[in-house]
């Protein structure tokens, strides 16, 4: 009787297995001991991830991950959408650490890299969770190692203040610190580079691309703050700041804005009243070089669209995912100036692309 390894060379078996999705590989670990060892091996895990990240395979292996609220129950669920067809591949409940959270609390997708998704809640002193949607493994990160506040990395910015009760609000001294959580060590450590004293605008307005994590931030001393982005180089562990581009809005400081990744670049979407058109418009920009204001490039402008609440992400050919006032997921084609209702049941909250991986969180 021949075993599989006697019929097919191991190199050929590996090449075949590299094309399979994570859910199949998890089942195939039960075939035999040698396959279990192979699929669990770090070498194969790295090869499988690199295979999924290649340009030719990325669209096939990089679905959209959509967090939404179900219409009937108002519960959070995660749906995977196939990149090309935008069909829903699967829908699953929130990761187990977030079971039973109050309905008024939102789950935020912080970012995703190498198949791992970082989640947190829009509530103070809550757990940060790393989650692999393909394996459904989760890891609750330990609390901050900085005592003043109750090889993928997670960076945490903290605003720390003097708790002296005798001080008036405007006399309180604030300082800022940054710490990094490393999966390989399972602990936080303080970054040697001091964190700039910039106010981070909102937990939703952040993105990750090419080793740089960026937040929407207000820079400068009050009241002379100006909008920009604060970026952190995950490799060199240094901060960079970039002022937002000069646009056509009547009130740049008061405008709505958000950040997404488009063509591996930080892309900015601003919304406000155009000085010349005297109507509300969306402006889409891309940042070519971190720290260089002049490298902002305007892609296009979307004129007045009735009933649109906000953009939530990009698709191919500059198409933009939108959420309307009724909570429906739409796709806007700027070339054809056409809007398509994607008929996704539920109220979409956030949307990212991610690549499946076998990376374990245990």
């Amino acid at each position: 009787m021949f075993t599989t390894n006697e019929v097919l060379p191991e190199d050929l078996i590996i090449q075949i297995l590299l094309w399979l999705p994570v859910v199949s590989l998890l089942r195939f670990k039960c075939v035999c001991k040698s396959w279990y060892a192979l699929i669990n091996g770090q070498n194969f895990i790295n090869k499988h991830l690199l295979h999924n990240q290649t340009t030719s395979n990325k669209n096939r292996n990089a679905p959209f991950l959509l967090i939404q609220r179900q219409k009937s129950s108002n519960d959070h669920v995660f749906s995977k959408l196939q990149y090309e067809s935008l069909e829903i591949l699967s829908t699953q409940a929130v990761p187990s650490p977030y079971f039973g959270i109050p309905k008024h609390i939102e789950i935020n997708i912080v970012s995703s890299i190498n198949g791992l998704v970082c989640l947190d809640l829009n509530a103070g002193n809550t757990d940060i969770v790393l989650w692999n949607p393909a394996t459904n493994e989760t890891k609750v990160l330990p609390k901050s190692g900085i005592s003043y506040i109750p090889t993928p990395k997670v960076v945490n910015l903290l605003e720390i203040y003097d708790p002296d009760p005798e001080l008036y609000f405007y006399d309180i001294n604030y300082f800022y610190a940054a710490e990094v959580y490393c999966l390989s060590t399972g602990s936080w450590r303080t970054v040697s580079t001091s964190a700039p004293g910039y106010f981070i605008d909102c937990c939703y307005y952040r993105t990750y691309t090419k080793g740089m994590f960026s937040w929407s931030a207000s820079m400068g001393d009050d009241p002379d703050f100006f909008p920009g982005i604060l970026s952190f180089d995950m490799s060199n562990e240094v901060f960079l700041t970039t002022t937002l581009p000069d646009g056509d809005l009547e009130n740049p400081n008061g405008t709505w804005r958000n950040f997404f990744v488009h063509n591996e670049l930080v892309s900015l979407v601003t919304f406000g009243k155009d000085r010349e058109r005297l109507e509300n418009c969306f402006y889409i920009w891309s940042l070519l070089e971190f720290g260089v204001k002049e490298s902002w490039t305007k892609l296009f402008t979307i004129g007045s669209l009735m009933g649109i609440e906000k953009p939530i992400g990009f698709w191919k050919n500059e198409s933009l995912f939108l959420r309307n006032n009724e909570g429906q997921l739409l796709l806007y084609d700027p070339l054809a100036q056409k809007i398509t209702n994607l008929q996704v049941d539920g109220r979409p909250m956030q949307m990212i692309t991610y690549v499946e991986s076998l990376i374990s969180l245990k």
Side-chain angles (χ1 to χ4, degrees):
M1 179 176 179
F2 292 100
T3 66
T4 304
N5 287 345
E6 290 174 321
V7 176
L8 295 175
E10 182 175 327
D11 289 346
L12 182 56
I13 292 175
I14 291 175
Q15 290 303 314
I16 294 173
L17 293 179
L18 289 177
W19 287 88
L20 299 181
V22 169
V23 64
S24 297
L25 293 171
L26 294 179
R27 292 199 305 265
F28 288 172
K29 290 199 294 185
C30 300
V31 170
C32 60
K33 290 182 179 179
S34 61
W35 279 32
Y36 180 88
L38 171 66
I39 295 171
N40 274 346
Q42 192 60 50
N43 186 45
F44 180 82
I45 291 173
N46 293 340
K47 285 184 177 180
H48 185 262
L49 177 61
L50 291 174
H51 181 268
N52 286 347
Q53 290 176 330
T54 58
T55 304
S56 59
N57 300 322
K58 196 168 185 179
N59 289 351
R60 182 177 63 85
N61 296 311
F64 287 104
L65 186 66
L66 172 69
I67 181 172
Q68 57 183 333
R69 284 187 177 271
Q70 292 180 318
K71 288 184 178 179
S72 56
S73 64
N74 204 34
D75 290 333
H76 288 90
V77 293
F78 286 87
S79 296
K80 295 179 185 178
L81 277 68
Q82 206 277 338
Y83 184 88
E84 292 293 338
S85 66
L86 299 180
E87 295 179 356
I88 294 182
L89 300 173
S90 63
T91 297
Q92 61 194 103
V94 300
S96 56
Y98 289 154
F99 284 172
I101 63 170
K103 292 185 183 294
H104 70 277
I105 293 180
E106 300 291 350
I107 298 177
N108 304 319
I109 302 176
V110 179
S111 187
S112 174
I113 182 173
N114 294 344
L116 302 182
V117 179
C118 182
L119 304 171
D120 71 0
L121 306 180
N122 66 336
N125 196 30
T126 56
D127 290 331
I128 299 173
V129 171
L130 293 182
W131 175 44
N132 186 329
T135 64
N136 210 30
E137 291 181 355
T138 60
K139 185 179 184 67
V140 178
L141 301 194
K143 299 299 183 183
S144 167
I146 297 179
S147 59
Y148 292 88
I149 297 182
T151 321
K153 298 177 181 177
V154 179
V155 60
N156 189 23
L157 292 183
L158 304 104
E159 182 182 61
I160 304 170
Y161 63 92
D162 188 338
D164 188 344
E166 301 297 324
L167 294 177
Y168 290 103
F169 176 79
Y170 290 105
D171 294 327
I172 294 176
N173 295 318
Y174 290 87
F175 67 96
Y176 298 84
E179 56 183 359
V180 168
Y181 176 86
C182 189
L183 189 60
S184 61
T185 62
S187 61
W188 294 96
R189 60 177 172 81
T190 304
V191 177
S192 58
T193 304
S194 60
Y198 299 149
F199 176 73
I200 305 301
D201 290 337
C202 178
C203 57
Y204 286 113
Y205 304 161
R206 53 198 177 189
T207 189
Y208 175 87
T209 182
K210 294 183 177 179
M212 300 286 287
F213 198 96
S214 299
W215 300 262
S216 174
S218 297
M219 298 179 244
D221 296 328
D222 186 62
D224 298 322
F225 73 90
F226 56 94
I229 63 173
L230 175 64
S231 303
F232 182 73
D233 187 327
M234 300 292 278
S235 296
N236 300 320
E237 299 186 353
V238 295
F239 288 93
L240 290 172
T241 59
T242 312
T243 308
L244 296 192
D246 297 323
D248 303 311
L249 300 177
E250 284 190 335
N251 182 16
N253 281 348
T255 187
W256 179 94
R257 60 185 181 272
N258 206 344
F259 295 93
F260 305 98
V261 174
H262 180 52
N263 292 333
E264 298 187 338
L265 298 174
V266 170
S267 292
L268 164 70
V269 178
T270 59
F271 175 73
K273 182 174 288 187
D274 188 283
R275 292 193 187 100
E276 297 182 358
R277 299 188 187 190
L278 298 180
E279 64 179 4
N280 288 330
C281 297
F282 289 103
Y283 301 89
I284 290 84
W285 304 72
S286 282
L287 180 64
L288 303 183
E289 184 178 353
F290 288 99
V292 181
K293 176 183 177 180
E294 293 73 22
S295 70
W296 285 107
T297 301
K298 184 186 284 188
L299 301 180
F300 53 88
T301 301
I302 302 176
S304 180
L305 296 176
M306 298 298 294
I308 299 301
E309 185 175 319
K310 66 174 184 178
I312 61 173
F314 284 93
W315 194 40
K316 58 185 179 181
N317 300 326
E318 316 293 351
S319 295
L320 195 63
F321 293 107
L322 305 171
R323 187 176 78 192
N324 65 11
N325 293 338
E326 298 178 5
Q328 298 170 320
L329 182 63
L330 311 177
L331 182 66
Y332 176 74
D333 183 344
L335 298 179
Q337 297 187 358
K338 176 183 177 182
I339 294 180
T340 303
N341 190 328
L342 297 180
Q343 304 296 328
V344 174
D345 186 35
R347 182 177 179 81
M349 308 301 292
Q350 286 178 274
M351 195 174 199
I352 62 167
T353 56
Y354 89 105
V355 176
E356 285 194 343
S357 82
L358 286 160
I359 293 177
S360 176
L361 292 169
K362 293 182 178 179

